[in-house]
Amino acid sequence: MPYTDEPSNPLHRLWRQIAGWQPDHHSLWSRYAVAVAITLAATVLRIVLAPAESGGRFITLSLAAALSALYGGFRAGMLSTVLGMVMVNFFLVKPYGTLAFDDPGEAFWLNLWHFITALVVVGAIALMQWQNRLWRAAGEAVRRSTRQLEDTFEHSATGMAHSRLDGRWIRVNQTYCDLVGYTRLEMETMSFRDFTHPDDLGLDLSLQARTLAGEIDHYSIEKRYIHKQGHTVWVHLTLSLIRTPAGEPDYLIAVVQNVSDRKATEEALRTSEQLLRQAQQLAGLATWQADVATRRFTILAGSKDILDLPRTEFSDEELLAITHPDDRPLVLRQWALAVQGKAVYDIESRLRIGDHDRWYSVQADFERDAQGRAVRALGVTLEVTGRKQAELEIQRLNASLENRIQQRTQALRDAYDELESYSYAVAHDLRSPLRIINGFAQALQEDNPALDAASLSHLQRIMAASKKMGLLIDGLLQLSQIGRGEVQRQPVNLGAIATRLLEELAAESPQRSVTWSIEPDLHAWADPSLVDALLQNLLHNAWKYTASTPQAHIRVFTREMDGQTHFCVSDNGAGFDMARAEKLFQPFQRLHQPHEFEGLGIGLATVQRIVQRHGGLLHAEAAPGHGATFCFTLPGEASPDSLP
């Protein structure tokens, strides 16, 4: 049943209201006004109800003083007393306004006795009211303290419980219930043994027994609870024993804080540290720290064995002593810059450990104070002796390989020059026998006009073969000449060259009706003579392979592909099958029969050689009966400002 401080008896309630009256809750003037009103009312009642001469005239006014004191406090009561004395002496007996007593002595003693009596009564009432205020304040403080204790218990962020010595609960807060997942009703039927982890119950009971035996007053442990849903909850338990005034054990106070997150974090940290140590051992990483002020270097746990160092602490002078002399200036300079914050400490240097020099890669970060001064360095060190030895070996091999490449390149260059010279010499020396063969065949034909038709045919075939071989020799000479000398790049107007060559072809074949279109501003940075030969071969082929086309058309233009400018020559002539395109740029290889189109198969090989010498690419697109397009690049094109 809930407790209430309101009594059911109306008289008791009235008395409590009177006893609990707070005069100071009202203004001083209102209390004085009530005191005057009560005194005047008492005077009127005394006159109406009984004549003043009947005696006891001060009794009514004493009651008014008491009521005034109850309502308005000591001052109001004394004001009523003084006012009542005036009314008794001058206004209760006619004639009003004159002293009601004939004997002044009697008047003095009666008034003095009334004043003293009223002073005692009013003072007693004021004292009672003061004590009542103190009691009310004390009661309010007790209630506030009790409420705060209740709030602290019920709304605490930690679990709190009071239990009997046998483990049964006296009271449990909601946080404790939420911690283990049970309701308050369920907890009332349980003991802490019911949800304590079996592995932790023995230690808990042992410490509790020591507490009850008086060996210890309290204890704190970390233990596990089994949540209602089955999972484990780690808690920090503090148990204290409360004793009776006689010193006997009374009850236990348990404070429980959930530390599952901290335990999980600690476990994760331990796992991380273990994995880090394993990773350091596998990778050969050593960790260290340095106090910048004292210049002391400390090798952290496990790293001494990785570095094979004799101890874990070194001064800067001791470290410099085992640093290779050639690396000391670099170490000192880089460390000074890193301490000042002007550079990153990331170097490779050698240390003399035992009888061997070992290479180490060292990196460090610095912790700084509020003024930016370095106070501590944290670093990692990795032995890279194997890598450095491999790098040195690679450098040695690269130097050896580069020397061998230069030798091979020179040998290839010499062989190429010799082959070019041989080709040129052979082609040049073959001209003389060909001229002799052709001359004697022509002489036989002229000196023997009576030769029969068969002999004359033989002579004509000899002269035609010698002429063809002369053309082949000219092609060889052209190829050899193109492969010799340096490419002399300068601004070249491909459009102007193409226009001139097409006009020359039209003049040589006036019977042909061929149209052409040349895109303006076809500029390149190339060798003019080689570009002239390139366009001559492409345009000659276009002119030749459009011989059977009724409306022959040749086009010279550019297209952008893969960020490069491609110069293209296109025709609508015979075309060719792209399935045989691999023979297209091989010397003396032709895709058409001699009776279809004459030629030696040297033109496109010459074009490819010229494009390659400029570092460019050449490709073709064609289809039988639909013409062909040849596109090429000339890398190293000049800016438009440098072109004419």
Side-chain angles (χ1 to χ4, degrees):
M1 179 178 179
Y3 172 76
T4 175
D5 56 358
E6 293 292 335
S8 58
N9 193 326
L11 292 177
H12 286 177
R13 287 201 300 270
L14 177 61
W15 168 247
R16 288 184 62 84
Q17 290 177 359
I18 294 174
W21 182 260
Q22 301 287 332
D24 54 353
H25 289 179
H26 303 275
S27 67
L28 183 61
W29 294 109
S30 65
R31 287 182 278 161
Y32 286 169
V34 170
V36 171
I38 291 174
T39 304
L40 294 178
T43 302
V44 172
L45 286 174
R46 184 72 174 88
I47 294 173
V48 172
L49 294 177
E53 292 84 354
S54 62
R57 66 184 70 176
F58 285 100
I59 299 300
T60 304
L61 277 304
S62 296
L63 180 60
L67 292 175
S68 298
L70 285 174
Y71 178 82
F74 181 76
R75 295 180 182 179
M78 294 309 298
L79 175 62
S80 176
T81 299
V82 173
L83 181 60
M85 292 172 62
V86 172
M87 300 303 294
V88 167
N89 285 280
F90 295 97
F91 294 99
L92 287 183
V93 180
K94 296 180 181 180
Y96 299 129
T98 61
L99 184 63
F101 297 95
D102 296 331
D103 184 359
E106 181 185 4
F108 171 78
W109 288 107
L110 287 174
N111 280 282
L112 178 60
W113 182 254
H114 172 71
F115 181 80
I116 293 173
T117 302
L119 180 62
V120 172
V121 173
V122 170
I125 292 173
L127 179 61
M128 180 193 65
Q129 290 176 335
W130 176 72
Q131 289 179 337
N132 184 55
R133 286 197 298 271
L134 292 180
W135 290 336
R136 289 177 65 88
E140 182 63 28
V142 170
R143 285 192 294 273
R144 185 184 307 109
S145 177
T146 303
R147 186 170 59 253
Q148 290 173 348
L149 289 175
E150 289 290 334
D151 292 342
T152 301
F153 185 88
E154 291 297 335
H155 303 290
S156 174
T158 58
M160 301 182 69
H162 297 168
S163 67
R164 296 181 176 86
L165 301 181
D166 59 2
R168 292 179 295 115
W169 304 111
I170 299 173
R171 61 186 305 183
V172 181
N173 71 353
Q174 187 61 42
T175 304
Y176 202 135
C177 297
D178 295 339
L179 189 65
V180 293
Y182 294 98
T183 65
R184 288 179 189 257
L185 292 177
E186 291 172 330
M187 292 285 283
E188 290 177 357
T189 63
M190 302 174 67
S191 167
F192 73 93
R193 300 178 182 85
D194 297 328
F195 48 78
T196 296
H197 195 283
D199 296 342
D200 299 335
L201 183 59
L203 175 62
D204 199 357
L205 292 175
S206 173
L207 291 173
Q208 190 176 122
R210 292 181 58 194
T211 303
L212 295 175
E215 297 180 15
I216 54 177
D217 293 331
H218 64 275
Y219 64 88
S220 296
I221 60 170
E222 288 186 353
K223 58 182 287 188
R224 288 164 290 179
Y225 284 156
I226 305 299
H227 194 274
K228 182 180 180 180
Q229 296 180 355
H231 60 271
T232 301
V233 180
W234 274 98
V235 299
H236 181 273
L237 168 67
T238 299
L239 192 75
S240 301
L241 174 63
I242 305 301
R243 297 180 179 273
T244 64
E248 296 297 325
D250 191 3
Y251 65 96
L252 298 167
I253 297 178
V255 178
V256 181
Q257 184 176 6
N258 189 346
V259 294
S260 297
D261 292 342
R262 176 172 63 79
K263 298 292 287 188
T265 302
E266 291 175 354
E267 181 63 26
L269 182 59
R270 284 193 296 270
T271 302
S272 177
E273 290 176 347
Q274 180 64 26
L275 292 176
L276 180 60
R277 285 194 294 269
Q278 294 177 357
Q280 287 179 337
Q281 293 175 356
L282 289 174
L285 282 175
T287 55
W288 51 270
Q289 66 178 1
D291 190 314
V292 177
T294 62
R295 300 183 179 181
R296 298 291 299 180
F297 291 79
T298 303
I299 310 301
L300 300 181
S303 298
K304 182 175 76 69
D305 297 334
I306 295 176
L307 295 178
D308 197 19
L309 293 174
R311 57 184 186 276
T312 59
E313 287 196 9
F314 295 87
S315 67
D316 57 346
E317 295 178 351
E318 291 171 336
L319 281 179
L320 283 175
I322 63 175
T323 301
H324 195 282
D326 295 343
D327 297 336
R328 289 173 189 169
L330 170 64
V331 172
L332 290 172
R333 181 177 65 255
Q334 201 67 18
W335 181 262
L337 292 174
V339 169
Q340 298 171 16
K342 297 180 179 179
V344 176
Y345 194 77
D346 185 359
I347 64 169
E348 290 183 352
S349 61
R350 288 163 287 183
L351 295 179
R352 169 68 65 157
I353 299 178
D355 297 330
H356 303 283
D357 288 333
R358 300 183 183 180
W359 278 95
Y360 293 96
S361 175
V362 186
Q363 296 181 3
D365 287 328
F366 289 83
E367 294 180 353
R368 302 181 183 275
D369 58 17
Q371 288 72 37
R373 294 188 296 265
V375 294
R376 187 172 69 146
L378 296 173
V380 293
T381 299
L382 175 65
E383 183 176 355
V384 293
T385 303
R387 176 171 64 80
K388 294 297 290 188
Q389 291 175 347
E391 289 177 357
L392 294 175
E393 180 65 18
I394 290 173
Q395 291 175 1
R396 187 187 66 78
L397 292 176
N398 285 340
S400 174
L401 181 60
E402 185 175 355
N403 184 41
R404 292 167 60 189
I405 289 175
Q406 290 178 351
Q407 294 176 356
R408 294 288 180 88
T409 302
Q410 185 61 41
L412 288 173
R413 184 179 293 109
D414 293 342
Y416 179 77
D417 292 342
E418 183 179 354
L419 181 60
E420 290 289 338
S421 299
Y422 176 76
S423 299
Y424 181 80
V426 169
H428 185 272
D429 292 342
L430 286 177
R431 284 180 175 276
S432 180
L434 280 178
R435 284 196 296 269
I436 293 173
I437 293 172
N438 189 56
F440 277 104
Q442 188 174 1
L444 283 173
Q445 182 180 7
E446 293 176 353
D447 294 341
N448 299 281
L451 286 174
D452 56 29
S455 298
L456 185 60
S457 174
H458 292 330
L459 287 174
Q460 289 176 349
R461 293 179 66 181
I462 291 173
M463 290 188 291
S466 63
K467 181 179 179 181
K468 182 176 181 181
M469 188 164 184
L471 294 174
L472 290 173
I473 292 172
D474 290 339
L476 286 174
L477 287 173
Q478 184 180 9
L479 280 176
S480 64
Q481 289 172 354
I482 289 173
R484 307 180 112 192
E486 297 293 332
V487 176
Q488 303 296 327
R489 291 180 182 267
Q490 57 183 334
V492 178
N493 189 337
L494 278 72
I497 297 175
T499 300
R500 174 176 57 80
L501 293 174
L502 286 171
E503 289 177 349
E504 291 177 358
L505 290 171
E508 293 174 2
S509 304
Q511 75 281 3
R512 294 278 309 272
S513 177
V514 181
T515 61
W516 62 78
S517 61
I518 299 174
E519 184 178 310
D521 299 326
L522 299 179
H523 297 290
W525 190 256
D527 189 306
S529 60
L530 293 180
V531 171
D532 190 291
L534 183 154
L535 289 177
Q536 184 177 14
N537 280 283
L538 290 180
L539 292 174
H540 183 271
N541 279 353
W543 189 276
K544 177 172 62 175
Y545 290 112
T546 56
S548 302
T549 304
Q551 296 179 344
H553 182 74
I554 299 173
R555 182 183 171 210
V556 182
F557 60 97
T558 61
R559 65 171 59 158
E560 294 293 329
M561 291 189 302
D562 300 329
Q564 286 186 310
T565 300
H566 291 247
F567 300 95
C568 301
V569 175
S570 176
D571 65 73
N572 60 346
F576 57 86
D577 187 358
M578 289 296 293
R580 302 172 59 196
E582 70 276 1
K583 298 182 178 180
L584 197 61
F585 303 112
Q586 297 179 8
F588 310 113
Q589 295 290 331
R590 305 189 69 237
L591 302 184
H592 298 86
Q593 297 298 323
H595 67 274
E596 294 178 326
F597 300 98
E598 62 179 16
L600 301 174
I602 202 70
L604 291 179
T606 302
V607 169
Q608 187 181 47
R609 179 74 64 87
I610 294 172
V611 172
Q612 288 176 344
R613 293 214 62 195
H614 283 81
L617 298 174
L618 173 66
H619 69 276
E621 302 170 2
H626 295 282
T629 299
F630 292 87
C631 295
F632 58 91
T633 61
L634 299 173
E637 298 147 12
S639 63
D641 295 338
S642 65
L643 299 175

